[in-house]
């Protein structure tokens, strides 16, 4: 069974540009989550999508947005990039939206803003 | 106060030792609890869910105390391969899974 896949693996952008990160969940998983892991910090919850809808959002500014497509894949967009957006962005999927459904993570996209 | 707090460690233990990690959470309405493991430069992976009655998976035992808002993980007979960062994870309302900053374990021969 293929795991969660993310692309690209690495992304280098300059301040002010936009970044688009992509995620394909495990087949059959309907929920997709996005997390930011900055260097030396823990995972910070960004967004949760389920059945194509944004269900919850972390404490991030509106320039962090995303969507979930009918095939349950997801896209994270970061507009007006700032230097502090440099981080590893992890996508995870779960089988259902149940509160006890564990997350399965992808390998992440490392975003560097210069 | 952080939503999920863990002792960052590192815990340096010899092979075969028993080691325990603790975690506290601030949201009393939290619904579910997990321990994840993250190896260096890798993605987090689920180690085990944590149930109110306590649960065991081989050498690993997890406990939850809802009254004290406290979660623990006990590792018996530590192996070199147990060296990793252990993340305490709490599912707050609305499937917002909050991760602790992690506890570093180093098992040495």
């Amino acid at each position: 069974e293929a795991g969660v896949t993310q692309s690209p693996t690495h992304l280098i952008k300059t301040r002010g540009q936009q970044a688009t990160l992509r995620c394909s969940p495990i087949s059959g998983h309907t929920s997709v989550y996005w997390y930011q892991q900055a260097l030396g910090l823990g995972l910070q919850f960004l967004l949760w999508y389920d059945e194509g809808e944004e269900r919850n959002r972390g404490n991030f500014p509106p320039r962090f947005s995303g969507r979930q497509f009918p095939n349950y894949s997801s896209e994270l967009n970061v507009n007006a990039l700032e230097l502090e957006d440099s981080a590893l962005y992890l996508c995870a999927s779960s089988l259902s939206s149940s509160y006890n459904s564990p997350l399965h993570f992808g390998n992440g996209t490392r975003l560097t803003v210069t | 106060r952080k939503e999920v707090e863990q002792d960052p460690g590192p815990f340096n233990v010899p092979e075969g030792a028993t080691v325990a990690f603790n975690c506290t959470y601030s949201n009393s309405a939290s619904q579910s609890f997990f321990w994840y493991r993250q190896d260096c430069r890798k993605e987090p992976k689920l180690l085990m869910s944590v149930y109110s009655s306590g649960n065991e998976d081989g050498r690993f035992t997890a406990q939850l105390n809802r009254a004290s808002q406290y979660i623990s993980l006990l590792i018996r007979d530590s192996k070199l391969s147990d060296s990793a960062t252990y993340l305490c994870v709490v599912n707050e309302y609305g499937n917002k899974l909050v991760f602790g900053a992690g506890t570093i374990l180093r098992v040495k021969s």
Side-chain angles (χ1 to χ4, degrees):
Chain A
E1 178 188 79
V4 176
T5 56
Q6 292 187 244
S7 62
T9 305
H10 294 88
L11 189 57
I12 300 174
K13 293 283 186 178
T14 56
R15 197 167 46 182
Q17 284 187 316
Q18 180 200 38
T20 298
L21 289 63
R22 296 180 176 83
C23 172
S24 292
I26 292 172
S27 177
H29 285 197
T30 61
S31 275
V32 170
Y33 303 76
W34 287 96
Y35 281 83
Q36 181 195 67
Q37 188 172 32
L39 193 63
L41 297 179
L43 280 77
Q44 301 296 315
F45 173 77
L46 268 165
L47 292 158
W48 168 39
Y49 291 96
D50 183 67
E51 297 286 357
E53 301 284 333
E54 182 181 301
R55 303 293 185 182
N56 203 350
R57 180 182 183 86
N59 296 324
F60 281 83
R63 57 190 187 83
F64 286 84
S65 65
R67 53 182 172 166
Q68 187 179 33
F69 300 99
N71 66 354
Y72 303 115
S73 67
S74 178
E75 202 173 79
L76 174 70
N77 294 295
V78 188
N79 293 321
L81 283 165
E82 299 178 3
L83 296 178
E84 53 264 35
D85 296 334
S86 295
L88 179 68
Y89 289 83
L90 289 163
C91 172
S93 71
S94 66
L95 185 59
S96 77
S97 59
S98 168
Y99 68 90
N100 60 0
S101 188
L103 303 187
H104 301 266
F105 284 87
N107 293 328
T109 292
R110 186 160 297 282
L111 173 64
T112 302
V113 183
T114 61
Chain B
R1 182 185 171 187
K2 287 185 183 175
E3 294 165 294
V4 178
E5 295 206 57
Q6 295 182 249
D7 181 343
F11 285 65
N12 295 301
V13 303
E15 275 186 291
T18 295
V19 61
F21 305 140
N22 302 320
C23 166
T24 57
Y25 60 96
S26 61
N27 188 336
S28 60
S30 297
Q31 298 176 297
S32 55
F33 311 88
F34 307 91
W35 283 100
Y36 278 72
R37 168 193 170 130
Q38 187 171 25
D39 293 296
C40 188
R41 295 188 168 275
K42 298 277 192 176
E43 74 278 14
K45 291 187 178 176
L46 177 69
L47 180 66
M48 59 196 301
S49 301
V50 186
Y51 302 116
S52 297
S53 55
N55 48 299
E56 191 173 300
D57 183 1
R59 298 181 292 109
F60 299 84
T61 301
Q63 298 275 357
L64 167 65
N65 184 323
R66 284 188 183 269
S68 302
Q69 293 178 209
Y70 170 96
I71 305 160
S72 66
L73 176 68
L74 182 77
I75 304 176
R76 291 181 299 278
D77 188 23
S78 298
K79 312 289 185 194
L80 293 174
S81 57
D82 293 334
S83 297
T85 298
Y86 289 82
L87 304 169
C88 176
V89 183
V90 174
N91 189 346
E92 297 187 347
Y93 180 77
N95 266 13
K96 178 187 173 186
L97 274 81
V98 180
F99 283 70
T103 298
I104 297 170
L105 172 65
R106 296 184 187 137
V107 181
K108 305 197 181 242
S109 58

